[in-house]
Amino acid sequence: MFTAMKKGRLVAGLVAVGAVVALAGCASSDPLGTTSTSGSSEAAAGGPIVIGSQAYYSNEIIAEIYAQALEANGIEVTRQFNIGQRDAYLPALESGEVQLFPEYTGNLLQYYDPETTAKTSDDVYAALADALPEGLEVLDQSPATDQDSYNVTKEFSEANGVTSLDDLAAVTTPITLGGNSELQTRPYGPEGLLSTYGVTVGFTAIEDSGGPLTIQALKDNTVQMVNIYSADPNIKTSGLVTLEDPKGLFLASNVVPLINTDAATPEVTEVINKVSAALTAADLVDLNSQSVNDQESAEDIASGWLEKVALF
């Protein structure tokens, strides 16, 4: 039932490439490079639900799980994966061109409300529901988390006595932080480190979302600290030290389905909420490991997980 769909992946990839080309060619155009605004009405009328993902392998795996789960329940799906970051796909969700997207509660809340004081999982989820614009809503959040975390090499940790972000203030050598370019202006970026922990850091953009380029820059000492999502298996396999965050610089960030209200039918909601309830933090690390270390496709990874949990 959950057989991988290679042909579907190729089509989705071509659509995503087209979206990127359109973005590069016309900055003022629609984020997905289309002029259609009919997606929301199509979903309401029983047409296929359009599922998107970030240009991030873990997010694509979750999106593929959503897609296969819906298809197993007789709901037609269109995949539009690897769209990019929030500035690109959130307008598409609001317009209905994309209708369902795996998101992360803490980071999404800070996107809409940078001054939020919510910290815990439940508080962040409640605040997020209030912060979303009209036409968007979140379904049930998952126990699975994949949040930003700051990591250093074991050698740096031992040489400087650093196991916590609190410890960084006592480090006498310069510290450069590495991460995606948007990290530089995020509330938990350099300014957040300064205001919360009294730590001044430089910044170097590394555009692979904590991937091999980021880890290599850390090992080469080009940067001394990097932002890697907490469910990334390479934190463990690379022997990195994740610094504790006692003052709550990072918000709790659970996996959560973000959906255009017109697409949130009872049938769709029931299926996706079952997926969210079943997906655990340990599952997510394992799924990511299958992608990063075993080089399995998102389709195969999603299919295997759905067979294991036997939800449908």
Side-chain angles (χ1 to χ4, degrees), residues 212-262:
L213 295 177
T214 298
I215 292 174
Q216 191 59 50
L218 187 64
K219 290 183 175 181
D220 291 343
N221 202 37
T222 303
V223 296
Q224 290 72 48
M225 182 167 68
V226 295
N227 181 27
I228 303 179
Y229 299 119
S230 59
D232 192 324
N234 282 331
I235 291 177
K236 181 177 181 179
T237 58
S238 299
L240 304 185
V241 176
T242 299
L243 301 183
E244 296 176 7
D245 179 22
K247 296 180 180 177
L249 177 64
F250 298 117
L251 277 62
S253 208
N254 293 67
V255 174
V256 69
L258 179 64
I259 193 167
N260 184 288
T261 298
D262 287 339

